[in-house]
Coordinates of all heavy atoms in Angstrom, one line a residue:
M1 N -64.2 128.8 -24.0 CA -64.0 127.6 -23.3 C -65.4 126.7 -23.5 O -65.3 125.5 -23.8 CB -63.7 127.8 -21.9 CG -63.3 126.6 -21.1 SD -62.5 127.0 -19.6 CE -63.6 128.0 -18.8
V2 N -66.5 127.2 -23.1 CA -67.7 126.5 -23.2 C -68.1 126.2 -24.7 O -68.5 125.1 -24.9 CB -68.9 127.4 -22.6 CG1 -70.3 126.8 -22.8 CG2 -68.6 127.7 -21.2
A3 N -67.8 127.1 -25.6 CA -68.0 126.8 -27.0 C -67.2 125.6 -27.5 O -67.7 124.6 -28.1 CB -67.7 128.0 -27.9
F4 N -65.9 125.5 -27.1 CA -65.1 124.4 -27.5 C -65.6 123.1 -26.8 O -65.9 122.0 -27.4 CB -63.6 124.5 -27.0 CG -62.8 123.3 -27.2 CD1 -62.4 122.9 -28.5 CD2 -62.6 122.4 -26.2 CE1 -61.7 121.8 -28.6 CE2 -61.8 121.3 -26.3 CZ -61.4 121.0 -27.6
N5 N -65.9 123.1 -25.5 CA -66.3 122.0 -24.8 C -67.6 121.4 -25.2 O -67.9 120.3 -25.2 CB -66.4 122.2 -23.3 CG -64.9 122.5 -22.6 OD1 -64.0 122.1 -23.2 ND2 -64.9 123.0 -21.6
N6 N -68.5 122.3 -25.9 CA -69.8 121.9 -26.3 C -69.8 121.7 -27.8 O -70.9 121.4 -28.4 CB -70.8 122.9 -25.9 CG -71.1 122.9 -24.4 OD1 -70.9 121.9 -23.8 ND2 -71.5 124.1 -23.9
G7 N -68.7 121.8 -28.5 CA -68.5 121.6 -30.0 C -69.2 122.7 -30.8 O -69.6 122.4 -31.9
R8 N -69.3 123.9 -30.2 CA -69.9 125.0 -30.9 C -68.9 125.8 -31.7 O -68.3 126.8 -31.2 CB -70.7 125.9 -30.0 CG -71.9 125.2 -29.4 CD -72.8 126.0 -28.6 NE -72.3 127.3 -28.1 CZ -72.2 127.6 -26.8 NH1 -72.6 126.9 -25.9 NH2 -71.8 128.8 -26.5
F9 N -68.4 125.3 -32.7 CA -67.2 125.8 -33.5 C -67.4 127.1 -34.1 O -66.5 128.0 -34.2 CB -66.6 124.7 -34.4 CG -66.2 123.5 -33.7 CD1 -66.9 122.4 -33.7 CD2 -65.0 123.6 -32.9 CE1 -66.5 121.3 -33.0 CE2 -64.5 122.5 -32.2 CZ -65.2 121.3 -32.2
A10 N -68.7 127.5 -34.5 CA -68.9 128.8 -35.1 C -68.7 129.8 -34.0 O -68.2 130.9 -34.3 CB -70.4 128.9 -35.7
D11 N -69.2 129.6 -32.8 CA -69.0 130.5 -31.6 C -67.6 130.6 -31.3 O -67.0 131.7 -31.0 CB -69.8 130.1 -30.4 CG -71.3 130.1 -30.7 OD1 -71.7 130.9 -31.6 OD2 -72.1 129.4 -29.9
L12 N -66.9 129.4 -31.3 CA -65.5 129.4 -30.9 C -64.7 130.3 -32.0 O -63.8 131.1 -31.7 CB -64.9 128.0 -30.9 CG -63.5 127.8 -30.5 CD1 -63.2 128.4 -29.1 CD2 -63.0 126.4 -30.6
D13 N -65.0 130.1 -33.3 CA -64.4 130.8 -34.4 C -64.5 132.3 -34.2 O -63.6 133.0 -34.4 CB -64.9 130.2 -35.7 CG -64.2 130.8 -37.0 OD1 -62.8 130.7 -36.9 OD2 -64.8 131.4 -37.9
A14 N -65.7 132.7 -33.9 CA -66.0 134.2 -33.7 C -65.3 134.7 -32.5 O -65.1 136.0 -32.5 CB -67.5 134.4 -33.5
A15 N -64.7 133.9 -31.6 CA -63.9 134.5 -30.5 C -62.6 134.8 -30.8 O -61.9 135.5 -30.0 CB -63.9 133.4 -29.3
F16 N -62.1 134.5 -31.9 CA -60.7 134.8 -32.4 C -60.7 135.8 -33.4 O -61.6 136.0 -34.1 CB -60.1 133.5 -33.0 CG -59.7 132.5 -31.9 CD1 -60.6 131.6 -31.4 CD2 -58.4 132.5 -31.3 CE1 -60.3 130.7 -30.4 CE2 -58.1 131.7 -30.3 CZ -59.0 130.7 -29.9
A17 N -59.6 136.5 -33.5 CA -59.4 137.6 -34.4 C -59.4 137.2 -35.8 O -59.1 136.0 -36.1 CB -58.0 138.3 -34.2
P18 N -60.0 137.9 -36.8 CA -60.0 137.6 -38.2 C -58.5 137.3 -38.6 O -57.6 137.8 -38.1 CB -60.7 138.7 -38.8 CG -60.6 139.9 -37.9 CD -60.5 139.3 -36.5
A19 N -58.5 136.7 -39.8 CA -57.2 136.3 -40.3 C -56.1 137.4 -40.4 O -55.0 137.3 -40.1 CB -57.4 135.6 -41.7
D20 N -56.7 138.6 -40.8 CA -55.7 139.7 -41.1 C -55.3 140.4 -39.8 O -54.4 141.2 -39.8 CB -56.4 140.8 -42.0 CG -57.7 141.4 -41.5 OD1 -58.3 140.6 -40.7 OD2 -58.0 142.5 -41.9
E21 N -55.9 139.9 -38.6 CA -55.5 140.5 -37.4 C -54.9 139.4 -36.5 O -54.3 139.7 -35.4 CB -56.7 141.2 -36.7 CG -57.1 142.4 -37.4 CD -58.4 143.0 -36.8 OE1 -58.6 142.7 -35.6 OE2 -59.0 143.7 -37.4
F22 N -55.1 138.2 -36.8 CA -54.7 137.0 -36.0 C -53.2 137.0 -35.8 O -52.4 137.2 -36.8 CB -55.2 135.7 -36.6 CG -54.9 134.5 -35.8 CD1 -55.6 134.1 -34.8 CD2 -53.8 133.6 -36.2 CE1 -55.3 132.9 -34.0 CE2 -53.5 132.5 -35.5 CZ -54.3 132.2 -34.4
V23 N -52.7 136.7 -34.6 CA -51.2 136.6 -34.5 C -50.8 135.2 -34.2 O -50.0 134.6 -34.9 CB -50.7 137.6 -33.4 CG1 -49.3 137.5 -33.1 CG2 -51.0 139.0 -33.6
W24 N -51.3 134.6 -33.1 CA -51.0 133.3 -32.8 C -51.9 132.7 -31.7 O -52.5 133.4 -31.0 CB -49.6 133.1 -32.3 CG -49.2 133.9 -31.1 CD1 -48.7 135.1 -31.1 CD2 -49.2 133.5 -29.8 NE1 -48.5 135.6 -29.9 CE2 -48.8 134.6 -29.0 CE3 -49.7 132.4 -29.1 CZ2 -48.9 134.6 -27.5 CZ3 -49.7 132.4 -27.7 CH2 -49.2 133.4 -26.9
Y25 N -52.0 131.3 -31.7 CA -52.6 130.6 -30.7 C -51.8 129.3 -30.5 O -51.5 128.6 -31.4 CB -54.1 130.2 -31.1 CG -54.7 129.3 -30.0 CD1 -55.3 129.8 -28.9 CD2 -54.6 127.9 -30.0 CE1 -56.0 129.1 -27.9 CE2 -55.2 127.2 -29.0 CZ -55.8 127.7 -28.0 OH -56.4 126.9 -27.1
S26 N -51.2 129.2 -29.3 CA -50.3 128.1 -29.1 C -50.7 127.3 -27.9 O -51.3 127.8 -26.9 CB -48.8 128.6 -29.0 OG -48.6 129.3 -27.8
I27 N -50.3 126.0 -27.9 CA -50.5 125.1 -26.8 C -49.2 124.3 -26.8 O -48.6 123.9 -27.8 CB -51.7 124.1 -27.1 CG1 -53.0 124.9 -27.2 CG2 -51.8 123.0 -26.2 CD1 -53.5 125.3 -25.9
A28 N -48.8 124.0 -25.6 CA -47.5 123.2 -25.4 C -47.6 121.9 -25.9 O -48.6 121.3 -25.9 CB -47.1 123.2 -23.9
P29 N -46.5 121.3 -26.4 CA -46.4 119.9 -26.9 C -46.7 119.0 -25.7 O -46.6 119.4 -24.6 CB -44.9 119.7 -27.4 CG -44.5 121.1 -27.6 CD -45.2 122.0 -26.7
P30 N -47.2 117.8 -25.9 CA -47.3 117.1 -27.2 C -48.6 117.3 -28.0 O -48.6 116.9 -29.1 CB -47.1 115.6 -26.8 CG -47.8 115.6 -25.5 CD -47.5 117.0 -24.8
K31 N -49.5 117.9 -27.5 CA -50.8 118.1 -28.1 C -51.0 119.4 -28.8 O -52.0 119.8 -29.4 CB -52.0 118.1 -27.1 CG -52.1 116.7 -26.4 CD -53.1 116.8 -25.4 CE -53.2 115.4 -24.5 NZ -54.2 115.5 -23.5
G32 N -49.9 120.3 -28.9 CA -50.0 121.6 -29.2 C -49.8 122.1 -30.6 O -49.5 121.3 -31.6
R33 N -49.9 123.3 -30.7 CA -49.6 124.1 -31.8 C -48.5 125.1 -31.5 O -48.7 126.1 -30.7 CB -50.8 125.1 -32.1 CG -52.0 124.2 -32.7 CD -53.1 125.2 -32.8 NE -53.0 126.5 -33.5 CZ -53.1 126.7 -34.8 NH1 -53.6 125.7 -35.6 NH2 -53.0 127.9 -35.2
V34 N -47.3 124.9 -32.0 CA -46.1 125.7 -31.7 C -45.5 126.1 -33.0 O -45.8 125.5 -34.1 CB -45.1 124.9 -30.9 CG1 -45.7 124.6 -29.5 CG2 -44.7 123.6 -31.5
G35 N -44.6 127.0 -33.0 CA -43.9 127.5 -34.2 C -44.9 128.1 -35.2 O -45.8 128.7 -34.8
S36 N -44.5 127.8 -36.5 CA -45.3 128.4 -37.5 C -46.8 127.9 -37.6 O -47.7 128.6 -38.0 CB -44.7 128.0 -38.9 OG -44.7 126.7 -39.1
A37 N -47.1 126.7 -37.0 CA -48.4 126.2 -37.0 C -49.3 127.1 -36.1 O -50.4 127.3 -36.3 CB -48.4 124.8 -36.5
S38 N -48.6 127.6 -35.0 CA -49.5 128.5 -34.1 C -49.9 129.8 -34.6 O -50.8 130.5 -34.2 CB -48.6 128.8 -32.8 OG -47.5 129.6 -33.1
R39 N -49.3 130.2 -35.8 CA -49.6 131.5 -36.4 C -50.5 131.3 -37.6 O -50.9 132.3 -38.3 CB -48.3 132.1 -36.9 CG -47.4 132.5 -35.7 CD -46.1 133.3 -36.1 NE -45.2 132.4 -36.8 CZ -44.3 131.7 -36.1 NH1 -44.2 131.7 -34.8 NH2 -43.4 131.0 -36.7
R40 N -51.0 130.1 -37.9 CA -52.0 129.9 -39.0 C -53.4 129.9 -38.5 O -54.0 128.9 -37.9 CB -51.7 128.4 -39.6 CG -50.4 128.6 -40.5 CD -50.3 127.2 -41.4 NE -49.0 126.9 -41.4 CZ -48.5 125.9 -40.8 NH1 -49.1 125.0 -40.1 NH2 -47.2 125.7 -40.9
R41 N -54.1 131.0 -38.8 CA -55.5 131.1 -38.4 C -56.3 130.1 -39.2 O -57.3 129.7 -38.7 CB -55.9 132.6 -38.7 CG -57.4 132.9 -38.5 CD -57.8 132.8 -37.1 NE -59.1 133.3 -36.7 CZ -60.2 132.6 -36.9 NH1 -60.3 131.4 -37.3 NH2 -61.4 133.2 -36.5
S42 N -55.9 129.9 -40.5 CA -56.6 129.0 -41.3 C -56.8 127.6 -40.8 O -57.7 126.8 -41.2 CB -56.0 129.0 -42.8 OG -54.7 128.4 -42.7
T43 N -55.9 127.2 -39.9 CA -56.0 125.7 -39.4 C -56.5 125.7 -38.0 O -56.5 124.6 -37.4 CB -54.6 125.1 -39.5 OG1 -53.7 125.8 -38.7 CG2 -54.1 125.1 -40.9
L44 N -56.8 126.8 -37.4 CA -57.2 126.8 -36.0 C -58.4 126.0 -35.8 O -58.4 125.2 -34.8 CB -57.4 128.3 -35.5 CG -57.6 128.6 -34.1 CD1 -56.5 128.0 -33.2 CD2 -57.9 130.0 -33.8
M45 N -59.5 126.1 -36.5 CA -60.7 125.4 -36.2 C -60.5 123.9 -36.4 O -61.1 123.1 -35.7 CB -61.9 126.0 -37.0 CG -62.4 127.3 -36.5 SD -62.7 127.3 -34.8 CE -61.5 128.4 -34.2
S46 N -59.8 123.6 -37.5 CA -59.5 122.1 -37.7 C -58.7 121.5 -36.5 O -58.9 120.4 -36.1 CB -58.8 121.8 -38.9 OG -57.6 122.5 -39.1
Y47 N -57.8 122.4 -36.0 CA -57.1 121.9 -34.8 C -58.1 121.6 -33.6 O -58.0 120.6 -33.0 CB -56.0 122.9 -34.3 CG -55.5 122.7 -33.0 CD1 -54.5 121.7 -32.8 CD2 -55.9 123.4 -31.9 CE1 -54.0 121.4 -31.5 CE2 -55.4 123.1 -30.6 CZ -54.4 122.1 -30.4 OH -54.0 121.9 -29.2
F48 N -58.9 122.6 -33.4 CA -59.9 122.5 -32.3 C -60.8 121.3 -32.6 O -61.2 120.5 -31.6 CB -60.7 123.7 -32.1 CG -60.0 124.8 -31.3 CD1 -59.9 126.1 -31.8 CD2 -59.4 124.6 -30.1 CE1 -59.2 127.1 -31.2 CE2 -58.7 125.6 -29.4 CZ -58.6 126.9 -30.0
R49 N -61.3 121.1 -33.7 CA -62.1 119.9 -34.0 C -61.5 118.6 -33.7 O -62.1 117.7 -33.2 CB -62.6 120.1 -35.5 CG -63.6 121.1 -35.8 CD -63.9 121.1 -37.3 NE -64.6 122.3 -37.7 CZ -65.9 122.5 -37.4 NH1 -66.7 121.6 -36.9 NH2 -66.5 123.7 -37.8
A50 N -60.2 118.6 -34.1 CA -59.5 117.3 -33.9 C -59.4 117.0 -32.3 O -59.5 115.9 -31.9 CB -58.1 117.4 -34.5
R51 N -59.1 118.0 -31.6 CA -58.9 117.9 -30.1 C -60.3 117.6 -29.5 O -60.4 116.7 -28.6 CB -58.4 119.1 -29.5 CG -57.0 119.7 -30.0 CD -55.9 118.5 -29.9 NE -55.9 117.8 -28.8 CZ -55.4 116.6 -28.7 NH1 -54.8 116.1 -29.7 NH2 -55.4 115.9 -27.6
H52 N -61.4 118.2 -30.0 CA -62.7 117.8 -29.5 C -63.1 116.5 -29.8 O -63.7 115.8 -28.9 CB -63.7 118.8 -30.1 CG -65.1 118.7 -29.7 ND1 -65.4 119.2 -28.4 CD2 -66.2 118.1 -30.1 CE1 -66.7 118.9 -28.2 NE2 -67.2 118.2 -29.3
L53 N -62.8 115.9 -31.0 CA -63.0 114.5 -31.3 C -62.4 113.5 -30.4 O -62.8 112.5 -30.2 CB -62.7 114.3 -32.7 CG -63.6 114.8 -33.8 CD1 -63.0 114.7 -35.2 CD2 -64.9 114.2 -33.6
K54 N -61.2 114.0 -29.8 CA -60.5 113.1 -28.8 C -61.0 113.4 -27.4 O -60.4 112.9 -26.5 CB -59.0 113.4 -28.9 CG -58.4 113.0 -30.2 CD -56.9 113.3 -30.2 CE -56.3 113.0 -31.6 NZ -55.9 111.7 -31.8
R55 N -62.1 114.0 -27.3 CA -62.7 114.2 -26.0 C -62.1 115.1 -25.1 O -62.2 115.0 -23.8 CB -63.2 112.9 -25.3 CG -64.0 112.0 -26.2 CD -65.3 111.8 -25.6 NE -66.0 110.7 -26.4 CZ -67.1 111.0 -27.2 NH1 -67.5 112.2 -27.4 NH2 -67.6 110.0 -27.8
E56 N -61.1 116.0 -25.6 CA -60.4 116.9 -24.8 C -61.4 117.9 -24.4 O -62.4 118.3 -25.0 CB -59.4 117.6 -25.7 CG -58.4 118.4 -24.8 CD -57.2 118.8 -25.7 OE1 -56.3 117.9 -26.0 OE2 -57.2 120.0 -26.1
K57 N -61.2 118.4 -23.1 CA -61.9 119.6 -22.5 C -60.9 120.8 -22.4 O -59.8 120.5 -22.0 CB -62.5 119.2 -21.2 CG -63.6 118.2 -21.3 CD -64.8 118.6 -22.1 CE -65.8 117.5 -22.1 NZ -67.0 117.9 -23.0
L58 N -61.4 122.0 -22.6 CA -60.6 123.1 -22.4 C -60.9 123.8 -21.2 O -62.0 124.1 -20.9 CB -60.8 124.1 -23.7 CG -60.1 125.4 -23.7 CD1 -58.5 125.1 -23.8 CD2 -60.5 126.3 -24.9
G59 N -59.8 124.2 -20.4 CA -60.0 125.0 -19.2 C -58.9 125.9 -19.2 O -57.7 125.6 -19.5
I60 N -59.2 127.2 -18.9 CA -58.1 128.3 -18.9 C -57.6 128.3 -17.5 O -58.3 128.6 -16.5 CB -58.7 129.6 -19.4 CG1 -59.2 129.3 -20.8 CG2 -57.7 130.7 -19.2 CD1 -60.0 130.6 -21.4
T61 N -56.3 128.2 -17.4 CA -55.6 128.3 -16.1 C -54.8 129.7 -16.1 O -54.5 130.3 -15.0 CB -54.6 127.2 -15.9 OG1 -53.7 127.1 -16.9 CG2 -55.3 125.9 -15.7
T62 N -54.4 130.3 -17.2 CA -53.7 131.6 -17.3 C -54.2 132.2 -18.5 O -54.4 131.6 -19.6 CB -52.2 131.3 -17.4 OG1 -51.8 130.6 -16.3 CG2 -51.5 132.6 -17.4
F63 N -54.4 133.5 -18.4 CA -54.8 134.4 -19.6 C -54.0 135.6 -19.5 O -54.0 136.2 -18.4 CB -56.3 134.6 -19.6 CG -56.8 135.5 -20.7 CD1 -57.0 134.9 -21.9 CD2 -56.9 136.8 -20.5 CE1 -57.5 135.7 -23.1 CE2 -57.4 137.6 -21.6 CZ -57.6 137.0 -22.9
R64 N -53.4 136.1 -20.6 CA -52.7 137.3 -20.7 C -53.1 138.0 -21.9 O -53.0 137.5 -23.0 CB -51.2 137.0 -20.8 CG -50.4 138.3 -20.8 CD -48.9 138.0 -20.7 NE -48.1 139.1 -21.2 CZ -47.1 138.9 -21.9 NH1 -46.6 137.7 -22.3 NH2 -46.5 139.9 -22.4
H65 N -53.7 139.2 -21.8 CA -54.1 140.1 -22.9 C -53.2 141.2 -23.1 O -52.8 141.8 -22.0 CB -55.5 140.5 -22.7 CG -56.0 141.5 -23.7 ND1 -55.8 142.8 -23.7 CD2 -56.4 141.2 -25.0 CE1 -56.3 143.4 -24.7 NE2 -56.7 142.4 -25.5
V66 N -52.5 141.3 -24.2 CA -51.7 142.5 -24.5 C -52.3 143.3 -25.6 O -52.5 142.8 -26.7 CB -50.2 141.9 -24.9 CG1 -49.4 143.1 -25.2 CG2 -49.7 141.1 -23.9
G67 N -52.7 144.5 -25.3 CA -53.3 145.4 -26.3 C -54.0 146.5 -25.6 O -53.9 146.7 -24.5
T68 N -54.6 147.3 -26.5 CA -55.2 148.5 -26.0 C -56.8 148.4 -25.9 O -57.4 149.4 -25.4 CB -54.8 149.7 -26.9 OG1 -55.3 149.3 -28.2 CG2 -53.4 150.0 -26.9
Q69 N -57.3 147.3 -26.3 CA -58.8 147.2 -26.4 C -59.2 146.1 -25.4 O -58.6 145.2 -25.2 CB -59.3 146.9 -27.6 CG -59.1 148.1 -28.6 CD -59.6 147.9 -30.0 OE1 -60.3 146.8 -30.2 NE2 -59.4 148.8 -30.9

């Protein structure tokens, strides 16, 4: 959240799983990534850069982790 809000995209990128392990990142419309777009790790940082340029701020209201680690 802090990395996005401060435009630190290398740090933000490091917070996500690598491409071979990435599953999805979605945001509800109208600003979001849904469907097949939400599963493309290769476009994730460009999505965040575009949102940051629009002066969007990220705040987490809900977080759900499913996994063993």
Side-chain angles (χ1 to χ4, degrees):
M1 185 165 57
V2 173
F4 171 80
N5 292 342
N6 292 330
R8 295 189 342 240
F9 296 104
D11 292 341
L12 183 62
D13 189 51
F16 285 88
D20 61 336
E21 297 176 19
F22 183 79
V23 179
W24 58 270
Y25 177 86
S26 66
I27 296 289
K31 300 176 183 177
R33 288 170 49 93
V34 294
S36 63
S38 71
R39 294 184 288 278
R40 279 190 223 110
R41 174 66 165 89
S42 63
T43 62
L44 188 58
M45 288 306 112
S46 60
Y47 167 78
F48 282 129
R49 288 178 194 281
R51 300 309 316 157
H52 184 75
L53 286 172
K54 293 181 183 273
R55 308 242 186 251
E56 188 171 287
K57 295 291 181 188
L58 180 62
I60 297 175
T61 58
T62 302
F63 179 83
R64 181 175 159 218
H65 177 264
V66 178
T68 59
Q69 295 182 4

